[in-house]
Amino acid sequence: YSNRRIMSNYVFGKDKLKYYEDVPSKCYANIVKELKALLKKYNVTTLAAYNCNFDIEAIETTNKYIGTNFLLNDYEIYDIYAMACAMLTHDESYIEFCEKNGKVSAKGNILSNAETVYSYLRQNAEFIENHTALEDAEIEAYILDWVLAEEQNRNITISRAPNPMAWRLVQRRKK
């Protein structure tokens, strides 16, 4: 983790490497130990992430590679991505916002990444995510809060399970 040349070509990329300098030099096993202690201290039973399959795979791969034991099956997992897409299913105002503001893929699909959903919820088409851990967490928490509030407002419960095809939910209905 301390080799800047290797890390610049890995997960972080050149634009994110500057934030890596702020991370204390700790080994992954110690980070996992501290994280487990915090989760236990605050009685955390649920973990949530936008597109949680990515995080699950990264944690499981790192556990295997490093030889640590952070078991995700000890927690209920919420996929904020799947939840947000379910809440925005065929939502015309979301679709119009995305089309009007160029938040459409090269293949013509409405985008559903956290940056796009957050910019819609905040009605700020110019928003650009910095992709720092803190900002990512704040954006994801904002989206999760919105989904949970919408569930109450609509008197519904949506699935919290990962759905790798959730992006399809926010597309226009086929005629």
Side-chain angles (χ1 to χ4, degrees), residues 78-143:
Y78 285 9
D79 187 348
I80 302 167
Y81 167 63
M83 294 169 69
C85 288
M87 199 56 73
L88 292 167
T89 297
H90 309 301
D91 183 316
E92 282 300 316
S93 66
Y94 178 73
I95 293 168
E96 289 171 12
F97 174 87
C98 290
E99 289 175 340
K100 178 182 173 187
N101 295 293
K103 297 183 182 298
V104 178
S105 75
K107 292 186 177 183
N109 294 312
I110 300 300
L111 297 180
S112 55
N113 57 22
E115 179 177 284
T116 301
V117 171
Y118 182 80
S119 69
Y120 167 73
L121 295 176
R122 302 295 297 195
Q123 289 296 295
N124 179 359
E126 304 303 316
F127 174 75
I128 297 172
E129 189 175 4
N130 289 318
H131 297 285
T132 62
L134 178 59
E135 186 184 52
D136 287 357
E138 290 171 341
I139 289 168
E140 292 177 24
Y142 187 90
I143 295 169

Side-chain angles (χ1 to χ4, degrees), residues 78 83 87 141-154 156 158 160:
Y78 285 9
M83 294 169 69
M87 199 56 73
Y142 187 90
I143 295 169
L144 179 60
D145 284 345
W146 171 78
V147 169
L148 297 175
E150 282 296 300
E151 278 188 325
Q152 285 188 333
N153 292 340
R154 298 181 194 185
I156 60 172
I158 59 170
R160 276 95 167 103

Side-chain angles (χ1 to χ4, degrees), residues 49-60 77 79 161-164:
Y50 208 88
N51 191 15
C52 69
N53 282 338
F54 173 84
D55 298 282
I56 290 168
E57 183 178 341
I59 290 168
E60 289 175 351
I77 305 292
D79 187 348
N163 177 359

